[in-house]
Amino acid sequence: MKLNIEGTEYDLTAALERPTLFLLREMKLKTGYGMKSLMEATESFEGKSEEDIIDDPDALGVMIALIWVAKRHAGELITFEEAGSFDLTQMEFIQDVEPEAFELPKDLTAFVQDAPSLPPTVLTTSKTSSIPSLPTFSPSPTTGRESPLSTFGR
């Protein structure tokens, strides 16, 4: 999953799956979350509406922690307070797209005959992310416009 804030894209998946020891220590000291508790907290988003998340100070703390981790992993030296100090409409969560699975045919003879016409990137592998699925928000019923968090979890 990627996070776009004010036009800059951050790799949240890499930040959460490949943190440095220093980042883990700083995350606990600055955000109050360790990796396990942060992952558990993101799982608690499931089934919650955007309004519930925005109204919950703990959920907002989790979102700020995710932003802080992504920005720190990208090399930005920001405080926890700075991580949450931007226009919310300038944030977008971008879900990673998994490549389609490719199955080898049972009759390999036919496959080999057609092989020269296949592009070299037909066979791809994908790694399943250990990041829990984050919620998908719907348009605001009060304004009819899509919410700034509507892309969270897509």
Side-chain angles (χ1 to χ4, degrees):
M1 175 177 290
K2 300 213 180 337
L3 182 61
N4 186 316
I5 299 175
E6 298 177 326
T8 303
E9 199 169 278
Y10 301 93
D11 191 344
L12 185 56
T13 301
L16 294 174
E17 289 183 350
R18 296 184 304 276
T20 64
L21 291 174
F22 185 75
L23 181 68
L24 290 172
R25 181 178 183 280
E26 286 296 298
M27 180 172 65
K28 182 67 175 178
L29 293 173
K30 304 295 183 189
T31 71
Y33 291 101
M35 186 58 72
K36 181 181 175 184
S37 60
L38 183 61
M39 299 306 281
E40 288 171 353
T42 59
E43 289 172 3
S44 71
F45 284 175
E46 279 192 42
K48 286 188 177 183
S49 70
E50 175 184 352
E51 290 80 19
D52 290 340
I53 292 174
I54 290 175
D55 196 42
D56 180 354
D58 292 331
L60 291 173
V62 170
M63 291 192 52
I64 295 170
L66 290 171
I67 294 163
W68 183 88
V69 167
K71 285 186 164 209
R72 289 299 298 256
H73 188 264
E76 292 184 29
L77 299 177
I78 62 167
T79 66
F80 185 69
E81 292 78 17
E82 290 169 333
S85 300
F86 62 90
D87 183 350
L88 190 57
T89 63
Q90 298 297 310
M91 180 178 76
E92 175 184 23
F93 287 90
I94 304 165
Q95 191 69 31
D96 294 331
V97 178
E98 291 289 325
E100 288 186 35
F102 179 79
E103 285 188 34
L104 290 174
K106 291 180 182 177
D107 181 8
L108 290 178
T109 307
F111 176 74
V112 172
Q113 290 172 352
D114 293 336
S117 64
L118 296 174
T121 59
V122 167
L123 295 175
T124 60
T125 59
S126 65
K127 178 182 172 203
T128 304
S129 174
S130 62
I131 298 175
S133 177
L134 297 173
T136 301
F137 295 107
S138 58
S140 170
T142 56
T143 64
R145 295 182 315 163
E146 193 167 4
S147 161
L149 294 179
S150 64
T151 56
F152 186 80
R154 284 192 198 161

